[in-house]
Amino acid sequence: MQRDRLLWYVGTVVVLVCGFTHSAPVNPNPNIPDVKENTDPMDDNFLSLEYKKYLEEVVQLLESDEGFKAELDKMNAEGKDDLASGQIAHYLQFANKQTRTKLDELKRLEVRRLRDLHKKLMRETADEIRAGKRDPKDLPSVDSEHMDHSNPHTFEIEDLRKLIKKTTDDLTNVDKKRKEEFKHYEMNKEHEYREKLKHANAEEAERLKKEHEENLKKHKEHPKVNHPGNANQLKEVWEEEDHLDPEDFDPKVFFGLHDIDGDGYLNTPEIEALFQNELDKVYNSSNPEDDMVERDEEMNRMREHVFTEIDKDQDGFVSLEEFMKSTQTEDFEKDESWDTLDDEEVFTDQELEEYEKTLAEQEAKLQERHNATSHPAQ
């Protein structure tokens, strides 16, 4: 149902802003206090978090409105996709008076929140501005692209259009942000390893190198990983998870078995569930050589590949028609293995060098701040 897909948009964006599972870089100097994550009022995720709550509340109101829901059902029956195009904003005119009144109140609260947040940012950076350490013009703008500011009093079609556009833009950027954060995670792992070697004596350094090389070797020793979405991969799921004879593989039946919510589409969680057997071949949480953060990234790579190959209308869902067409191509029957992260260059030597330079600069600033706090000027 299109209603389910609207809720899925909201859920995905909330997950995006609540953060990724990758660990933050470890402070290289234990004598300097760590900077807490997600508490800095200048942080982009912090600024966006409340907008996500606003988004959820707006969608929940619209989902409960009979007039709006009727138009969604009509759109679904006619095979339109006004959600992706933004035309769904015009369905607001079918919402009842009570819903519109509640939406007006939500918008007024959101406008007030944005104004209060701007004042808070100015207060918390006032000292730096007075000290000449920050130019007021360099303050980040409060995230406000999700509403129409020309009318601060009532929630109109333009507000819903802007909210959908902002949400869609966030979804478009989610993989780009995830990849960048994963790259930082991997560079930090390498940085920590090099730091251990640097501060170890000769005997300890040799032991660390040997252990590192053995773990890398053990991690690469795994069964063949099937190409996501091809015949061998799906038949393996059919046999091992569905407990059916691979000789009786039926794509249409397979689709129905894995369309868990029965809405006629395979969404992201349903697609990702199909990769677990392949991921288990490479990653085991009990093995010290296997990194579960890398497992998550491997799953994301598989998901991106499948959606790129099969989701032809790029709406974030695989329909039965799209799935059936994918099983009728020559590539579907090819017996290809999947190149895992071990076969990819996640970062270059130059990127690592720049990353370590940035870490050194951050450490110097933290040390300077720590010294100033510990030994204030008399």
Side-chain angles (χ1 to χ4, degrees):
M1 295 290 182
Q2 292 288 346
R3 297 205 299 270
D4 297 325
R5 297 170 71 188
L6 182 57
L7 286 172
W8 179 86
Y9 257 56
V10 177
T12 304
V13 174
V14 170
V15 169
L16 162 64
V17 172
C18 285
F20 300 93
T21 57
H22 308 155
S23 302
V26 175
N27 189 343
N29 189 336
N31 296 317
I32 300 176
D34 282 321
V35 178
K36 292 187 180 294
E37 294 292 315
N38 298 325
T39 57
D40 184 356
M42 311 303 289
D43 182 75
D44 288 340
N45 281 353
F46 180 87
L47 293 175
S48 298
L49 184 59
E50 290 298 321
Y51 137 63
K52 308 308 176 188
K53 292 181 180 179
Y54 171 68
L55 169 64
E56 283 187 294
E57 290 172 337
V58 168
V59 170
Q60 286 170 2
L61 272 177
L62 293 174
E63 288 286 321
S64 64
D65 185 274
E66 292 301 323
F68 192 86
K69 286 196 296 183
E71 290 303 308
L72 286 179
D73 289 338
K74 182 180 177 182
M75 174 182 70
N76 187 48
E78 294 176 354
K80 296 180 181 179
D81 195 1
D82 289 348
L83 176 58
S85 68
Q87 287 300 310
I88 196 175
H90 292 277
Y91 294 4
L92 183 64
Q93 61 186 305
F94 298 102
N96 64 43
K97 185 177 180 180
Q98 184 180 9
T99 298
R100 296 296 296 268
T101 299
K102 289 180 179 179
L103 287 170
D104 293 345
E105 180 60 22
L106 277 180
K107 180 177 179 179
R108 287 192 288 270
L109 290 172
E110 181 68 356
V111 169
R112 190 183 309 160
R113 180 190 71 81
L114 292 173
R115 289 172 178 169
D116 290 345
L117 181 56
H118 178 73
K119 292 177 183 177
K120 181 179 180 181
L121 288 173
M122 294 302 293
R123 283 198 306 269
E124 297 189 5
T125 57
D127 290 342
E128 289 186 22
I129 293 173
R130 282 195 291 269
K133 296 180 179 180
R134 181 187 293 276
D135 186 335
K137 295 180 181 179
D138 292 336
L139 281 172
S141 58
V142 174
D143 189 351
S144 60
E145 297 175 2
H146 56 288
M147 64 165 53
D148 178 17
H149 292 274
S150 65
N151 169 21
H153 306 295
T154 59
F155 189 97
E156 305 295 342
I157 290 174
E158 183 63 9
D159 289 292
L160 186 53
R161 188 192 69 78
K162 283 179 172 287
L163 187 58
I164 291 171
K165 184 179 185 304
K166 171 65 175 170
T167 305
T168 304
D169 289 346
D170 280 351
L171 286 170
T172 301
N173 293 327
V174 64
D175 283 322
K176 180 179 178 181
K177 291 181 179 180
R178 187 206 79 239
K179 289 175 183 176
E180 192 63 28
E181 196 156 301
F182 178 71
K183 180 189 291 186
H184 284 185
Y185 173 82
E186 289 292 297
M187 288 192 293
N188 193 67
K189 275 180 60 176
E190 179 63 22
H191 168 74
E192 289 181 351
Y193 170 63
R194 293 184 179 190
E195 285 294 300
K196 286 180 180 179
L197 292 180
K198 187 188 300 184
H199 295 97
N201 58 40
E203 183 179 349
E204 178 66 9
E206 188 61 30
R207 185 191 67 78
L208 288 171
K209 285 181 182 179
K210 184 177 180 181
E211 181 183 86
H212 184 68
E213 290 169 1
E214 287 177 351
N215 282 338
L216 289 176
K217 183 180 178 182
K218 282 195 288 185
H219 175 66
K220 291 180 179 180
E221 294 173 348
H222 56 73
K224 172 189 171 183
V225 179
N226 291 311
H227 208 78
N230 75 1
N232 285 343
Q233 192 261 315
L234 297 184
K235 286 179 180 179
E236 196 168 289
V237 174
W238 174 271
E239 180 178 14
E240 296 186 13
E241 292 186 24
D242 302 329
H243 308 292
L244 296 169
D245 189 334
E247 297 299 322
D248 296 330
F249 179 75
D250 184 324
K252 189 172 183 179
V253 173
F254 182 92
F255 184 95
L257 288 171
H258 296 276
D259 176 18
I260 306 302
D261 58 12
D263 66 351
Y265 297 89
L266 295 181
N267 57 33
T268 296
E270 290 167 342
I271 288 289
E272 290 178 345
L274 302 177
F275 308 145
Q276 301 312 307
N277 279 347
E278 302 304 322
L279 294 167
D280 287 343
K281 296 175 182 177
V282 187
Y283 300 95
N284 185 330
S285 58
S286 300
N287 296 337
E289 67 270 16
D290 297 337
D291 187 329
M292 294 301 104
V293 171
E294 291 178 356
R295 178 188 171 111
D296 287 342
E297 180 62 19
E298 196 75 74
M299 182 176 70
N300 284 318
R301 292 177 67 241
M302 290 179 173
R303 185 252 310 155
E304 278 187 291
H305 170 77
V306 167
F307 273 103
T308 299
E309 294 294 312
I310 302 178
D311 180 24
K312 297 304 181 183
D313 62 3
Q314 299 181 333
D315 67 346
F317 298 84
V318 173
S319 66
L320 174 60
E321 181 182 1
E322 289 172 329
F323 182 77
M324 294 301 293
K325 284 183 178 179
S326 74
T327 65
Q328 295 161 7
T329 63
E330 290 183 8
D331 288 342
F332 181 70
E333 295 294 341
K334 287 183 179 177
D335 184 16
E336 294 182 331
S337 61
W338 173 252
D339 290 334
T340 66
L341 280 167
D342 297 323
D343 305 306
E344 301 289 321
E345 182 182 62
V346 178
F347 56 83
T348 63
D349 290 340
Q350 183 179 353
E351 287 173 326
L352 179 60
E353 182 180 340
E354 292 174 356
Y355 178 75
E356 291 189 314
K357 180 181 177 182
T358 300
L359 284 182
E361 291 172 352
Q362 290 176 346
E363 182 179 354
K365 288 180 180 178
L366 284 170
Q367 184 67 64
E368 181 182 347
R369 190 187 309 172
H370 179 65
N371 291 341
T373 304
S374 303
H375 309 287
Q378 299 297 324

